[in-house]
């Protein structure tokens, strides 16, 4: 197969198992680096307006290979267990990431104050649980989704009250011109808190 200016021994398989069409590229292990570089060159040629690149991490073995992928903006971490050290390694190797969706469980190592995680624009955690207070305190981006968080209704009421009084959460900007500050919805099992600039 000719791809990205290189001839590669590979096979492309189309799958319709899900609602979306997926394509899988099978290749020889010895040609791994050439295949990944050529695939990205090929995709960039097809979509000339710089396609938005997303990396899905299913196992830590693939992390070193992921560095061959350039200009990634989004990432999903789907591996069952993922340490904070591994996360920092991944974020350092992909400085162009803007969003991260973590679907795996974290080990209980502490994230550093200067962790690259806090500088992302969008962050989502499937199981934030006991990490919820720390994530809310340190995150400085614009969008955050925390599933399975361990926070009571009283906490949310206090957070919103402190934000309105400008006592804390200053990174959540308010409109000062008397307009609408935020949309807040409590469904009984989730709290939706949208701040409008």
């Amino acid at each position: 197969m000719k791809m990205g200016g290189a001839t590669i021994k590979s096979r492309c398989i189309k799958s319709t198992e899900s609602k979306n069409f997926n394509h899988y590229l099978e290749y020889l292990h010895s040609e791994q680096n050439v295949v990944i570089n050529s695939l990205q060159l090929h995709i960039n040629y097809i979509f000339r307006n710089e396609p938005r690149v997303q990396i899905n991490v299913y196992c830590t073995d693939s992390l070193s290979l992921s560095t061959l992928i350039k200009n990634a903006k989004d990432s999903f971490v789907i591996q069952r267990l993922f340490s904070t050290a591994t996360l920092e390694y991944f974020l350092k190797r992909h400085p162009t990431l803007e969003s991260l969706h973590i679907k795996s469980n974290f080990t209980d190592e502490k994230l550093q104050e200067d962790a690259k995680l806090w500088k992302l624009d969008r962050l989502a955690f499937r199981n934030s649980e006991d990490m919820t207070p720390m994530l809310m305190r340190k995150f400085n981006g614009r969008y955050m989704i925390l599933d399975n968080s361990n926070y009571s209704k009283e906490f949310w009421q206090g957070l919103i009250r402190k934000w309105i009084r400008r006592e804390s959460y200053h990174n959540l900007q308010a409109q000062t011109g008397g307009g609408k500050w935020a949309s807040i919805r409590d469904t009984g099992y989730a709290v939706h808190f949208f701040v409008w600039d």
Side-chain angles (χ1 to χ4, degrees):
M1 177 185 291
K2 187 114 177 163
M3 184 174 64
T7 302
I8 301 162
K9 293 178 183 175
S10 60
R11 175 171 67 171
C12 188
I13 302 167
K14 186 165 74 172
S15 170
T16 57
E17 294 172 4
S18 65
K19 294 178 184 177
N20 301 319
F21 286 98
N22 294 313
H23 289 81
Y24 300 93
L25 192 63
E26 291 184 348
Y27 54 87
L28 298 174
H29 182 72
S30 60
E31 296 192 347
Q32 195 162 252
N33 291 2
V34 176
V35 169
I36 292 173
N37 285 325
S38 298
L39 178 61
Q40 187 157 17
L41 286 171
H42 182 72
I43 297 296
N44 287 346
Y45 178 77
I46 294 171
F47 303 99
R48 294 179 185 241
N49 293 328
E50 294 189 18
R52 193 164 182 97
V53 178
Q54 175 179 304
I55 299 175
N56 292 352
V57 179
Y58 292 92
C59 67
T60 50
D61 294 342
S62 63
L63 288 182
S64 59
L65 277 177
S66 76
T67 58
L68 296 170
I69 300 170
K70 306 297 181 218
N71 302 319
K73 300 288 187 192
D74 309 298
S75 183
F76 278 74
V77 175
I78 304 168
Q79 181 180 337
R80 196 169 63 83
L81 289 174
F82 207 70
S83 71
T84 53
T86 305
L87 176 64
E88 278 297 292
Y89 169 86
F90 178 67
L91 292 175
K92 282 178 185 171
R93 266 83 196 145
H94 294 284
T96 56
L97 280 181
E98 296 173 359
S99 75
L100 180 64
H101 189 151
I102 299 174
K103 292 189 168 186
S104 59
N105 293 325
F106 255 63
T107 59
D108 52 9
E109 298 173 58
K110 298 295 180 192
L111 284 162
Q112 300 298 316
E113 288 292 328
D114 62 345
K116 294 195 177 294
L117 185 69
W118 313 134
K119 297 173 180 68
L120 294 174
D121 190 50
R122 297 177 298 282
L123 180 63
F125 267 82
R126 176 186 271 176
N127 293 309
S128 61
E129 297 177 348
D130 294 336
M131 293 175 61
T132 304
M134 181 262 298
L135 291 168
M136 292 187 69
R137 190 173 62 253
K138 294 184 178 181
F139 181 65
N140 286 310
R142 294 191 306 154
Y143 305 97
M144 185 166 63
I145 298 171
L146 301 175
D147 287 340
N148 299 319
S149 61
N150 288 345
Y151 262 143
S152 64
K153 185 180 275 191
E154 291 76 25
F155 166 79
W156 281 106
Q157 290 170 345
L159 180 149
I160 293 165
R161 200 173 296 116
K162 285 180 181 177
W163 175 73
I164 290 172
R165 294 177 185 160
R166 299 179 185 267
E167 295 171 5
S168 62
Y169 305 102
H170 303 294
N171 56 333
L172 300 176
Q173 296 178 12
Q175 294 154 322
T176 55
K180 190 176 184 181
W181 282 16
S183 293
I184 304 164
R185 182 175 179 224
D186 181 1
T187 64
Y189 61 89
V191 175
H192 303 270
F193 182 31
F194 298 98
V195 181
W196 301 97
D197 279 334

